[in-house]
Every structure is written in structure tokens, then in C-alpha cells.
Amino acid sequence: MVSQHGIKLAVYLVSSFYGDHNSKVCECLLRRGTLTLAQIIRFTELSREIVRHCLLALIHQNCIQAFSIQQEGAFGEAPKVVTHYMALFDNIIHHMRFPKFIAIVKDELGGECEKVFEALLQHGRLSFNQIVDREKQTVSKEENFDVDHLKESFNKLVNGRFVERCPAPEPFLAPPSDEETPAKKRGAKSTKVGDVSESIEQRALAAAAPMESLRFLAETHNWSDFSDKSSEEKFTSVKTGEKRKQDFLETDGGLLDQDEKKEVLWRVNFEELIRRLRHQACIANAKSRLNDECGIILGAILELTRSSESKVNIGSTASVSINDIYDEVIKKKGGLGMNLERIRASLVELGCEMPMLVEEYSIDLKSIIDMAQNEEVESIVLKRYGREAYRMFRFLSKSGCLHETDKIADTTFVEKKDAIKILYKLWKDDYLQMEKVTVNGARQTHFLLWKVNRQSLCQHVLDEMYHAALNLRLRIAHELDQEKEILQMPKDKVGEVEELRKRYMRLKKVSIIYESSLMNLDDALMLFHDF
């Protein structure tokens, strides 16, 4: 269930990227859940044409998934197939991370791959022919356009799993009694057969996803058609930077252009990018909590086991032999001087047990993420409530069970009257759980017991982070709006006037501070939601 501030942040992002009508449709789906076209029109009070246009645009930008199900007809009528639409909250929030995603691709694959990757981020879904057409428009007449070079860059993105085939635009979900489980299509990525807790949205996503054998398959024999005249004519109407919102087949079920159905459409694979960011977070935590050597060894293991991960938030890595770890470690910066004994010692520090027979090691990533989450919450408590509150919260967090007020005060060396005030404050702000216990004896005695409920606490902290991220984005937008006059002026003119130059430098400094704060906040947000 998405929190209220999470919904507000998602709606603001859609409004910023795609306009108010799209954000209204998106908000309707986020707040009310999966709806049909008629229901969206009724709830948003927008015209049918506008709603259809918004749905098509948001599907193309991977913010909405459509699917059809069979519904019983009215009395005496046959069953009918109805299209439903659901908002993809995670994909919307990923719009905040586009700069991070671009940086990952640029660092690993270079600037040429970065250009293709940016095109897919901007346009949502493109065929290779459309990518070629777009690149042609950006190349000047004096430069020679090399389609083979572009093809090579695209292949690198596919092989690196940064790009994947698009899901089916509108999968049909058969009635449960006749349904074939989607586990046969996606293997480990799908839910178990007969899982009664699987929601209709989960079934739709599993049915829409391409088979794993096709997901990263690039059919190069179809790419020689990039000069097709119809493709060029269709794409020339789309200027660079313009959102592609036209030429769709506007039937209730059809979501793609007739010609596009004949081509393979590609999109950015957010799953792989979030996996890379999760690995980076684990390595950074190991370096700060332990030492640089542990971070290097963890990075080597993650590099070796990345391809075997079936989902982003996997609990533990696959087992790797000590020789494979050594071979990978000496390739890393700072790892050349390590020997097997130092590697084994670092593996113990990372929580690995010494094997009895075959010397293979697996890292518990979930425990690293849990420790990072605890550190994040404890830092919030320290900054917001002070050192004494931090000690009491840390004691309760580590114990994981209920404790009476006197026990907490004595253990953390806090005066009882101060301890009660602090505990009440933490409870009021949803950082602690309180239980009242009454003991009947010679006289009735009341006790207050306190504990940290980790699950509800993480949800509360996540909602606070969504709220903070929304406020930061609003503040950045406000600052830019206040100084829009300066931003529209030529830079040389701004430099000539002292007052304008000072205002411009102030805006630049403030923007850097807010943007860096937002990036750091998003790192913490991913820690609680995506990792």
C-alpha cells in the first residue's frame, strides 16, 4: 500500500514531466486502484478523448500497465472482455533517479551508450529503427552517421541488461479456473503456482512480462530496415525532446501503433539499475562500517554473482569459491596486494562462516541492508530528539522486545522523569510502540512497556522521506520560478549587472544544495523501499 505522501510525490513527478491532465489520471489510479476507462472518466471528470490520450501517453512512458479480464455480462448477456488500467508507482518514482541511472551507464559503457540510454529514458519506448531516426536528426550534415556504431552501442546496453524488451501492452487474464500459471513464462521471477495471495495486479504484470529467453534478445537481422520510408515519415514529426504522444491505435484494447506492433519495442530496465544501486549501497556500508578491504571483497563477490540474481532484493548472494573471489579481487583498484589470508579474514568480518569442506562463501545482503536501515533511523532520532533519545531508541531497537520505563532509564543512564517525556515524544511521533499493562494485587499497578515495531517504523520513516522529497522538489521549483527572469536572460547580460550576477550566483548555490540534498534523500528512500 502506497502512503499518502508517496502518492503526492508521484503525482507531482507526473505533473512535472507530463502535465496536469496526466497527473490527474495517475492520481485517480493511485488513490482508487485498478480502474476501467469508464471509471477513470467518471472519477476525473475529464473528457473521454483526454483520458484516452493520457492513458496512451502514460503507458508509453511505462507509468501505467493495461490488462483485460473477462467479466460477467448483465442478465441474459454473454460475458465481455473489459480493459483495466493500473498505475506503476515504482516506475513513476524512478523518474527522480534518471541522473543516477545515466551516471551508471556512462561510467560502465561510455558516452555513446549514454546517448541511446537517454533517448529511451526520454521517450519511454522505442524500436531500434526509431532510435536510428532520432540519432539521424541530431547529427549535422557535415558528420557521417554510422549505424553500425549505433548498433554496437545498443548491443552493449542489451548485453548489460540496462535495456529490455517492453512488456505486452494489454495481456488477457483468463478466469482463475482456466488460467495457466505465468510461472511457466518467467520461471523464478513469477509467483508460485496456486498462490492465493497473488493479486490481480501481480498476475497482470507477470502475464505482460516477456519470457526470460526473449527479454534481452536483440534480433539484429531486423535492423537493416532502419531506412524504411514509412518509419522516417512517422518519426520526422517528433522533434528531439518532444514527448511521443501521437500515432497510436486508439481502440479500447489497442495501445500501440499498427507499424510498431511489427517491431520490437525496447525500454530501460529499471530492475537492473536498482540492483546496481543496491550493490553500491551495500559496498559503501561495508566500507564505512568495517574497512575498505571488506568493501573491495564484497564488490568482487557482487560482480561475480550479479547475473545469477533473480530479483533485486535478494537475501544472500550465490556461493562463490575462494579462488574465484581472489581472481576478481586482484582486478579491483586496491585489491592487487591482497592475499588469501587477508581475503578470508575480511569475509569473516562480513559475516561469513568458515566452510568445513568446499571453500565457498555467500554474503548475507539482507543483514547489511537491515543494518544500514537501522543506522539511518538512529541518525534521524539523534538529530531530531537528542543524544538521550538516541541511546534509548538504540537500546529498544537492538533488544527487539518490550521493556518497562524504569528498565530503559536505568540501562541508558537517563533520569526517569526525562525518560518518560522522551519515550512519550517518540511514541507520539510513531517511532515507538507503547503497551499499558495493569497488575492486580494488594493494589492495582500500571506499567508502561515500550518497543520498536520495525515494520511499522520503516513504513513511517518511508512516508516521512516521501514528504521531505516532495517539499524539496517544491522548494527547488519555487526558487527557479522566483528567478525565472534571470534564467531567461543571456549570460553575458547577467554578468554585466552586479545585482543580477549576485542573484544568479545565489540561485546556483541554492540549487546545488537542494539538488544534492534531494539526491542524498533519495539514497535513503531507496534503502527503505527498493532495497
Side-chain angles (χ1 to χ4, degrees):
M1 186 67 182
V2 182
S3 67
Q4 290 302 309
H5 288 114
I7 291 174
K8 289 179 180 178
L9 176 60
V11 171
Y12 179 80
L13 289 171
V14 173
S15 177
S16 301
F17 279 83
Y18 309 117
D20 293 338
H21 283 158
N22 286 305
S23 68
K24 193 169 185 179
V25 170
C26 202
E27 181 176 16
C28 178
L29 290 170
L30 286 169
R31 293 193 182 280
R32 296 179 179 272
T34 301
L35 299 172
T36 64
L37 176 62
Q39 289 171 325
I40 297 171
I41 292 170
R42 184 168 76 251
F43 291 134
T44 59
E45 298 181 351
L46 297 172
S47 69
R48 183 183 184 86
E49 182 182 355
I50 290 175
V51 171
R52 185 185 295 278
H53 186 78
C54 291
L55 288 171
L56 292 171
L58 290 169
I59 288 170
H60 204 75
Q61 295 293 340
N62 306 302
C63 297
I64 285 178
Q65 174 66 52
F67 62 94
S68 56
I69 58 175
Q70 184 175 295
Q71 290 185 346
E72 296 295 327
F75 181 74
E77 295 181 1
K80 58 181 180 179
V81 176
V82 180
T83 302
H84 288 68
Y85 302 91
M86 63 175 175
L88 304 177
F89 174 78
D90 289 350
N91 285 6
I92 296 170
I93 297 298
H94 288 333
H95 283 63
M96 293 173 57
R97 295 153 193 161
F98 282 3
K100 293 179 181 178
F101 295 162
I102 292 170
I104 290 173
V105 172
K106 185 178 181 181
D107 290 344
E108 184 162 331
L109 301 179
E112 294 301 319
C113 292
E114 178 194 0
K115 292 178 184 178
V116 179
F117 185 77
E118 276 193 79
L120 286 166
L121 281 177
Q122 182 181 2
H123 294 290
R125 302 181 180 196
L126 292 174
S127 68
F128 180 75
N129 291 346
Q130 291 169 335
I131 294 172
V132 170
D133 289 338
R134 181 186 181 277
E135 287 300 310
K136 278 184 176 181
Q137 292 181 357
T138 61
V139 174
S140 62
K141 294 181 179 179
E142 292 77 16
E143 297 179 77
N144 291 324
F145 178 73
D146 187 358
V147 70
D148 291 329
H149 190 62
L150 180 62
K151 191 188 299 184
E152 183 183 349
S153 298
F154 184 81
N155 271 332
K156 287 181 181 179
L157 287 169
V158 176
N159 294 334
R161 300 201 164 196
F162 294 116
V163 169
E164 64 178 352
R165 291 192 180 207
C166 290
E170 188 183 334
F172 173 72
L173 301 186
S177 56
D178 303 323
E179 183 185 7
E180 236 180 71
T181 177
K184 295 179 182 178
K185 285 184 69 179
R186 293 303 299 273
K189 292 195 74 174
S190 69
T191 53
K192 294 181 180 180
V193 179
D195 185 1
V196 294
S197 64
E198 188 179 24
S199 67
I200 192 169
E201 288 82 9
Q202 290 172 322
R203 289 174 55 208
L205 291 174
M211 289 188 294
E212 198 66 28
S213 59
L214 295 175
R215 190 178 173 196
F216 303 103
L217 178 63
E219 297 179 347
T220 55
H221 61 274
N222 288 334
W223 292 356
S224 60
D225 301 330
F226 68 89
S227 60
D228 183 78
K229 184 178 179 181
S230 62
S231 175
E232 290 183 5
E233 289 177 352
K234 178 175 66 178
F235 206 86
T236 50
S237 63
V238 184
K239 297 179 181 178
T240 302
E242 183 182 351
K243 292 184 284 290
R244 302 176 67 252
K245 297 181 181 178
Q246 67 275 7
D247 295 333
F248 288 102
L249 179 65
E250 297 206 0
T251 62
D252 192 34
L255 304 175
L256 295 177
D257 185 275
Q258 294 262 22
D259 293 331
E260 288 178 351
K261 287 186 175 181
K262 300 174 185 177
E263 297 183 285
V264 176
L265 288 177
W266 299 86
R267 70 173 185 177
V268 170
N269 179 18
F270 292 131
E271 181 183 292
E272 180 64 25
L273 292 155
I274 293 297
R275 179 181 290 113
R276 301 294 179 108
L277 291 172
R278 185 180 192 241
H279 290 177
Q280 290 177 10
C282 289
I283 293 167
N285 180 268
K287 285 183 176 180
S288 62
R289 186 169 48 86
L290 301 172
N291 53 59
D292 288 346
E293 288 190 357
C294 289
I296 293 169
I297 292 166
L298 177 58
I301 294 174
L302 292 173
E303 191 75 30
L304 290 168
T305 60
R306 180 181 294 132
S307 59
S308 65
E309 293 187 13
S310 58
K311 58 181 181 178
V312 172
N313 53 348
I314 192 168
S316 299
T317 66
S319 297
V320 188
S321 69
I322 187 66
N323 291 330
D324 289 341
I325 295 172
Y326 175 77
D327 291 341
E328 187 66 29
V329 165
I330 60 176
K331 297 176 187 176
K332 301 282 185 182
K333 183 180 179 180
L336 188 59
M338 291 190 198
N339 56 30
L340 288 174
E341 290 306 315
R342 288 170 65 184
I343 291 175
R344 289 189 181 100
S346 296
L347 287 168
V348 172
E349 286 187 85
L350 286 166
C352 297
E353 296 181 0
M354 293 299 294
M356 299 297 294
L357 298 174
V358 181
E359 193 170 3
E360 293 184 343
Y361 297 89
S362 174
I363 303 293
D364 186 356
L365 296 180
K366 187 178 183 302
S367 65
I368 295 176
I369 295 298
D370 288 344
M371 284 187 281
Q373 289 177 345
N374 290 338
E375 290 173 5
E376 188 67 34
V377 177
E378 287 170 6
S379 69
I380 293 172
V381 172
L382 177 62
K383 292 174 184 176
R384 190 176 296 180
Y385 303 101
R387 179 68 60 179
E388 292 181 338
Y390 165 77
R391 291 205 303 271
M392 289 190 287
F393 179 86
R394 185 177 171 83
F395 166 71
L396 291 171
S397 178
K398 286 188 173 297
S399 66
C401 58
L402 290 163
H403 286 284
E404 198 265 331
T405 307
D406 289 347
K407 171 70 173 177
I408 298 169
D410 293 341
T411 306
T412 57
F413 304 104
V414 179
E415 290 290 336
K416 184 179 178 181
K417 61 178 182 179
D418 295 330
I420 293 174
K421 292 179 182 178
I422 294 169
L423 290 169
Y424 263 116
K425 178 64 176 172
L426 290 169
W427 168 74
K428 186 179 178 182
D429 291 346
D430 295 323
Y431 280 83
L432 293 180
Q433 179 179 318
M434 178 182 68
E435 291 185 17
K436 294 181 180 180
V437 177
T438 303
V439 178
N440 294 317
R443 63 174 188 171
Q444 205 174 53
T445 309
H446 300 282
F447 293 96
L448 294 179
L449 303 179
W450 311 85
K451 69 174 290 188
V452 173
N453 186 325
R454 182 175 173 79
Q455 185 175 0
S456 62
L457 174 63
C458 287
Q459 290 299 318
H460 172 69
V461 170
L462 181 61
D463 187 57
E464 285 190 334
M465 288 179 178
Y466 284 137
H467 192 188
L470 176 61
N471 286 341
L472 271 173
R473 293 194 73 91
L474 290 170
R475 183 66 187 183
I476 293 169
H478 172 74
E479 291 289 345
L480 295 175
D481 184 64
Q482 289 288 100
E483 304 292 354
K484 61 183 177 182
E485 180 185 351
I486 294 178
L487 294 173
Q488 292 170 356
M489 289 182 181
K491 287 189 177 180
D492 53 350
K493 187 176 180 180
V494 173
E496 292 173 359
V497 182
E498 181 67 18
E499 183 183 349
L500 294 178
R501 190 181 65 80
K502 286 182 178 179
R503 286 171 59 187
Y504 178 79
M505 293 305 296
R506 176 200 165 275
L507 177 63
K508 185 178 179 180
K509 182 179 178 181
V510 167
S511 297
I512 291 172
I513 292 171
Y514 286 147
E515 290 287 354
S516 61
S517 299
L518 187 59
M519 295 284 275
N520 293 333
L521 179 59
D522 183 52
D523 289 340
L525 202 153
M526 285 189 291
L527 188 64
F528 286 88
H529 179 70
D530 300 282
F531 298 165

mmCIF file of all heavy atoms in Angstrom, residues 326-340:
data_model
loop_
_atom_site.group_PDB
_atom_site.id
_atom_site.type_symbol
_atom_site.label_atom_id
_atom_site.label_comp_id
_atom_site.label_asym_id
_atom_site.label_seq_id
_atom_site.Cartn_x
_atom_site.Cartn_y
_atom_site.Cartn_z
ATOM 1 N N TYR A 326 39.350 -14.424 -5.209
ATOM 2 C CA TYR A 326 40.714 -13.884 -5.301
ATOM 3 C C TYR A 326 40.991 -13.330 -6.699
ATOM 4 O O TYR A 326 41.541 -12.229 -6.845
ATOM 5 C CB TYR A 326 41.733 -14.969 -4.943
ATOM 6 C CG TYR A 326 43.166 -14.535 -5.136
ATOM 7 C CD1 TYR A 326 43.791 -13.705 -4.205
ATOM 8 C CD2 TYR A 326 43.887 -14.936 -6.263
ATOM 9 C CE1 TYR A 326 45.102 -13.292 -4.386
ATOM 10 C CE2 TYR A 326 45.194 -14.524 -6.451
ATOM 11 C CZ TYR A 326 45.800 -13.701 -5.520
ATOM 12 O OH TYR A 326 47.088 -13.281 -5.707
ATOM 13 N N ASP A 327 40.620 -14.104 -7.730
ATOM 14 C CA ASP A 327 40.862 -13.658 -9.113
ATOM 15 C C ASP A 327 40.150 -12.346 -9.417
ATOM 16 O O ASP A 327 40.667 -11.505 -10.167
ATOM 17 C CB ASP A 327 40.392 -14.737 -10.098
ATOM 18 C CG ASP A 327 41.262 -15.985 -10.051
ATOM 19 O OD1 ASP A 327 42.391 -15.884 -9.543
ATOM 20 O OD2 ASP A 327 40.792 -17.058 -10.496
ATOM 21 N N GLU A 328 38.955 -12.163 -8.855
ATOM 22 C CA GLU A 328 38.200 -10.933 -9.103
ATOM 23 C C GLU A 328 38.723 -9.776 -8.254
ATOM 24 O O GLU A 328 38.759 -8.635 -8.705
ATOM 25 C CB GLU A 328 36.712 -11.171 -8.808
ATOM 26 C CG GLU A 328 35.786 -10.030 -9.187
ATOM 27 C CD GLU A 328 35.719 -9.779 -10.680
ATOM 28 O OE1 GLU A 328 35.899 -10.733 -11.456
ATOM 29 O OE2 GLU A 328 35.498 -8.609 -11.074
ATOM 30 N N VAL A 329 39.143 -10.077 -7.021
ATOM 31 C CA VAL A 329 39.632 -9.029 -6.116
ATOM 32 C C VAL A 329 40.874 -8.357 -6.677
ATOM 33 O O VAL A 329 41.006 -7.122 -6.631
ATOM 34 C CB VAL A 329 39.920 -9.618 -4.708
ATOM 35 C CG1 VAL A 329 40.773 -8.651 -3.883
ATOM 36 C CG2 VAL A 329 38.614 -9.889 -3.981
ATOM 37 N N ILE A 330 41.820 -9.134 -7.219
ATOM 38 C CA ILE A 330 43.076 -8.535 -7.692
ATOM 39 C C ILE A 330 42.874 -7.671 -8.935
ATOM 40 O O ILE A 330 43.762 -6.912 -9.320
ATOM 41 C CB ILE A 330 44.137 -9.629 -7.983
ATOM 42 C CG1 ILE A 330 43.628 -10.602 -9.061
ATOM 43 C CG2 ILE A 330 44.510 -10.352 -6.702
ATOM 44 C CD1 ILE A 330 44.672 -11.640 -9.463
ATOM 45 N N LYS A 331 41.690 -7.753 -9.560
ATOM 46 C CA LYS A 331 41.378 -6.875 -10.694
ATOM 47 C C LYS A 331 40.889 -5.506 -10.218
ATOM 48 O O LYS A 331 40.905 -4.539 -10.974
ATOM 49 C CB LYS A 331 40.291 -7.491 -11.573
ATOM 50 C CG LYS A 331 40.669 -8.800 -12.231
ATOM 51 C CD LYS A 331 39.480 -9.359 -13.008
ATOM 52 C CE LYS A 331 39.745 -10.751 -13.541
ATOM 53 N NZ LYS A 331 38.544 -11.312 -14.210
ATOM 54 N N LYS A 332 40.442 -5.443 -8.950
ATOM 55 C CA LYS A 332 39.880 -4.210 -8.408
ATOM 56 C C LYS A 332 40.975 -3.247 -7.969
ATOM 57 O O LYS A 332 42.075 -3.661 -7.604
ATOM 58 C CB LYS A 332 38.974 -4.527 -7.199
ATOM 59 C CG LYS A 332 37.799 -5.448 -7.491
ATOM 60 C CD LYS A 332 36.685 -4.712 -8.158
ATOM 61 C CE LYS A 332 35.463 -5.588 -8.341
ATOM 62 N NZ LYS A 332 34.380 -4.875 -9.045
ATOM 63 N N LYS A 333 40.614 -1.963 -8.001
ATOM 64 C CA LYS A 333 41.543 -0.945 -7.503
ATOM 65 C C LYS A 333 41.728 -1.132 -6.000
ATOM 66 O O LYS A 333 40.769 -1.146 -5.234
ATOM 67 C CB LYS A 333 40.967 0.445 -7.795
ATOM 68 C CG LYS A 333 41.888 1.572 -7.382
ATOM 69 C CD LYS A 333 41.268 2.930 -7.691
ATOM 70 C CE LYS A 333 42.178 4.059 -7.243
ATOM 71 N NZ LYS A 333 41.591 5.392 -7.524
ATOM 72 N N GLY A 334 42.965 -1.290 -5.567
ATOM 73 C CA GLY A 334 43.263 -1.501 -4.154
ATOM 74 C C GLY A 334 43.271 -2.958 -3.750
ATOM 75 O O GLY A 334 43.564 -3.275 -2.585
ATOM 76 N N GLY A 335 42.963 -3.871 -4.685
ATOM 77 C CA GLY A 335 42.902 -5.289 -4.327
ATOM 78 C C GLY A 335 44.098 -6.098 -4.769
ATOM 79 O O GLY A 335 44.211 -7.288 -4.442
ATOM 80 N N LEU A 336 45.025 -5.483 -5.488
ATOM 81 C CA LEU A 336 46.153 -6.222 -6.055
ATOM 82 C C LEU A 336 47.057 -6.803 -4.980
ATOM 83 O O LEU A 336 47.614 -7.895 -5.135
ATOM 84 C CB LEU A 336 46.955 -5.311 -6.999
ATOM 85 C CG LEU A 336 48.050 -5.979 -7.821
ATOM 86 C CD1 LEU A 336 47.462 -7.076 -8.704
ATOM 87 C CD2 LEU A 336 48.781 -4.949 -8.679
ATOM 88 N N GLY A 337 47.219 -6.114 -3.866
ATOM 89 C CA GLY A 337 48.142 -6.583 -2.832
ATOM 90 C C GLY A 337 47.543 -7.565 -1.848
ATOM 91 O O GLY A 337 48.233 -8.008 -0.919
ATOM 92 N N MET A 338 46.265 -7.927 -1.999
ATOM 93 C CA MET A 338 45.632 -8.830 -1.036
ATOM 94 C C MET A 338 46.020 -10.282 -1.314
ATOM 95 O O MET A 338 46.081 -10.711 -2.461
ATOM 96 C CB MET A 338 44.107 -8.704 -1.111
ATOM 97 C CG MET A 338 43.558 -7.397 -0.603
ATOM 98 S SD MET A 338 41.764 -7.471 -0.454
ATOM 99 C CE MET A 338 41.370 -5.731 -0.372
ATOM 100 N N ASN A 339 46.245 -11.038 -0.227
ATOM 101 C CA ASN A 339 46.463 -12.476 -0.349
ATOM 102 C C ASN A 339 45.244 -13.222 0.186
ATOM 103 O O ASN A 339 44.287 -12.617 0.674
ATOM 104 C CB ASN A 339 47.736 -12.901 0.388
ATOM 105 C CG ASN A 339 47.708 -12.480 1.855
ATOM 106 O OD1 ASN A 339 46.647 -12.393 2.467
ATOM 107 N ND2 ASN A 339 48.879 -12.214 2.407
ATOM 108 N N LEU A 340 45.278 -14.546 0.111
ATOM 109 C CA LEU A 340 44.120 -15.359 0.502
ATOM 110 C C LEU A 340 43.784 -15.200 1.987
ATOM 111 O O LEU A 340 42.600 -15.199 2.357
ATOM 112 C CB LEU A 340 44.381 -16.827 0.173
ATOM 113 C CG LEU A 340 44.365 -17.192 -1.324
ATOM 114 C CD1 LEU A 340 44.769 -18.636 -1.523
ATOM 115 C CD2 LEU A 340 42.973 -16.952 -1.900
#
